[in-house]
Amino acid sequence: MKLTCLSSGSGYQFPPCHILEDVCGFRILLDCPLDLSALSVFSPVPPDNDFVSDGKASYDSARDCFDKEQEIQKRQKIETPLHGKDLIHDELWYKTVKNLHLWDPSSIDVVLISSVMGMLGLPFLTRAEGFSAKIYATDAAARLARLMMEDLIAMNMEYQYFYGPRESGGPHWMRWEELELLRPELKKVVVGKDGTELGGWLPLYSSADVMDCMRKVQTLKYAETACYNGTLVLQPFSSGSEIGSCNWTIDGPKRNIAWLSCSIFASAHAMNFDYGALRGRDLVLYSDKQFLPLMDEVQSNDASSTIPSNDLSSLSRYCSADKDDWKELTESLLSTDEILEKEKMDFICSCILQSVQAGGSVVIPYNRLGILLQLLEMIPVLLESLAADVPIYVISSMAAELLAFTNVIPEWASKPRQEKMFSGEPMFSHVDLVNKRKLHVFSAIHSPELLTTWQEPCIIFAPHWSLRLGPVVHLLRRWSGDENSLLILEDGVDPDIALLPFKPLEMKVLQCSFLPERRLPKVDCMLKLLQPKILVLPDDLKEKLDFSNPSLDSFSVLYYTEGETLSLPSSPEGTLDLEIASVLAERFAWQNLGRQDVMYTRLEGELVMEQGKFRLLPGITSADSHPSKNKE
């Protein structure tokens, strides 16, 4: 079996992408995301008054103006500060996974999706000629991904209206002479460090592509089993990171595999990390790199850790214990995540309150449904305690459908949420907020209803977190000069490039990760909990995890590198399991082989593969062809 890391990813917004080869003869693609952070190299659609005095500038005059400004800016010295005019002024193209376009789509047999973000690039693949793979995702992830893709298409239409028909032969910025004139910071994003990523850029898919893609997806619930070709048994289990996000188990006749994606041990909104089915596996592929920057921080300045020291010592004690105390270990892991997530939400809410009390407005480009739902619960409570009349808006083409979906997902939510539903209460508080007119949901920023209810200061949730398309672009242009206003960004985008079009910028910017911070002791404890036979890790962890700990030396450790293929050890010979039908088992007639410890028996039957296992079933005999002879 072989593992190829196509992309190591960059956090929740751009998860890693891998290909597993020769899994019982099949090729499996793990996730198919889009690098939406790369949109930052483009300039947003400019406001009308930048080019139009009478409101009717043509596409050609706008493009000519852009070209002249770009040419002047490109010829400037390289030492000049990066400016908004250095960005690419053209219709958006989208960056797919590095090197995925080099693989033959017809050679992929199975696609497994771990999260909503891991599905956004799938329509590019499903529309490719020869693609016929079976796609598996959780029902919640598939439905949320469809909404997100449709929203992306709706926001992208603004660029299409402004720039007009696409150029034949590709956009002008992809020509090599144009790439040479790009600023180094932008060129690195466009072509990659080694200059091999230019082929991954594509214009966005259409709504028809999305519909065709979703028809090819088989959706599952948590722990539901799907069998591919009678050989591979596939099951998703909650990863805790988001509603519908999951880890996968892949069971075959020769070995059982677990793929561990972005996971947190406890969540305030999603079902907790289900580790039980992942324990004791032959092989665990660990692709979660969300914590790597945090681990560097701990090593360089341990005192700055946000986890109390007593929690760290407690975790370390469990990891080094001679006697496994699984209950205490898991409770410690879960409680730590709950504390960290709550601390982060409390801090974000305190920053929001400071801004609105100073008369400023707050813009939150949301990406994760769970964070949106949690903040919609916490912010109104704090505003009410201060008797502050500050409206909250959610602006998105899919906002109403997205919030409505949260009312029908009890099986995907955390246990406290499920208990609220069973007691007759809404799982999330936004339902009451809408009824009390404290929360206003609109499909577009130019909606007449929004204009009639508009009030400042206000708090607005709107896409897109790349700051290149959607309502957030217009909101930032409105408040970028207000020093009391606040922009809250999630990690995953370079703020130096993302904020260029809005400079000079006076408003405050808070960038943070909404995921709980995982530290070295927690990773050690999780690995001890899972106890795989073979553990496959990203090479970034080679110098960061210490496997000399006696509790962690019971399994082999391999490391993979982006863009390289890693050969994984074969299963030991003689370990195949065979299920024999009870009718055949009754015919056992053991004979000695000549050695005292070896006996054999002869059986006649049909060897089949079902549900990932070899089974020996009774064959059709001559007696079976005469029913009268089989009567008892």
Side-chain angles (χ1 to χ4, degrees), residues 7-141:
S7 169
S8 58
S10 59
Y12 174 81
Q13 287 88 351
F14 184 44
C17 178
H18 304 83
I19 283 186
L20 279 172
E21 297 182 78
D22 197 21
V23 184
C24 297
F26 301 111
R27 179 173 289 168
I28 304 176
L29 175 65
L30 306 179
D31 272 340
C32 188
L34 282 180
D35 185 4
L36 295 176
S37 66
L39 293 179
S40 61
V41 301
F42 292 90
S43 174
V45 170
D48 289 343
N49 57 12
D50 279 5
F51 296 93
V52 189
S53 56
D54 60 355
K56 297 180 179 179
S58 67
Y59 160 76
D60 291 332
S61 62
R63 171 57 63 82
D64 290 343
C65 185
F66 271 139
D67 288 343
K68 292 177 182 178
E69 291 184 349
Q70 275 191 302
E71 190 64 26
I72 295 173
Q73 189 66 23
K74 288 174 182 177
R75 300 300 178 184
Q76 290 181 349
K77 293 181 180 180
I78 200 67
E79 291 80 8
T80 58
L82 194 63
H83 192 275
K85 292 182 180 180
D86 292 316
L87 299 174
I88 298 172
H89 293 76
D90 206 340
E91 182 181 346
L92 294 182
W93 277 44
Y94 293 77
K95 191 176 183 181
T96 59
V97 172
K98 175 182 178 181
N99 294 332
L100 180 57
H101 64 284
L102 301 179
W103 290 74
D104 181 4
S106 64
S107 68
I108 300 173
D109 301 296
V110 177
V111 180
L112 299 182
I113 300 297
S114 69
S115 66
V116 173
M117 303 307 293
M119 196 171 183
L120 296 188
L122 200 54
F124 288 124
L125 185 62
T126 56
R127 73 182 186 185
E129 184 178 355
F131 178 83
S132 60
K134 190 73 174 181
I135 306 168
Y136 298 94
T138 65
D139 180 66

Side-chain angles (χ1 to χ4, degrees), residues 437-496:
R437 300 190 63 80
K438 294 183 178 180
L439 173 65
H440 308 274
V441 181
F442 299 100
S443 61
I445 198 167
H446 49 73
S447 168
E449 293 81 4
L450 173 60
L451 299 178
T452 58
T453 60
W454 185 261
Q455 176 184 329
E456 294 185 30
C458 59
I459 301 170
I460 299 184
F461 295 86
H464 186 264
W465 57 269
S466 67
L467 309 187
R468 289 299 178 266
L469 68 173
V472 70
V473 174
H474 305 279
L475 297 171
L476 289 181
R477 287 196 174 116
R478 181 178 182 85
W479 292 317
S480 60
D482 182 3
E483 62 180 8
N484 294 320
S485 292
L486 174 66
L487 168 66
I488 298 179
L489 281 178
E490 186 172 3
D491 283 348
V493 62
D494 183 350
D496 294 331

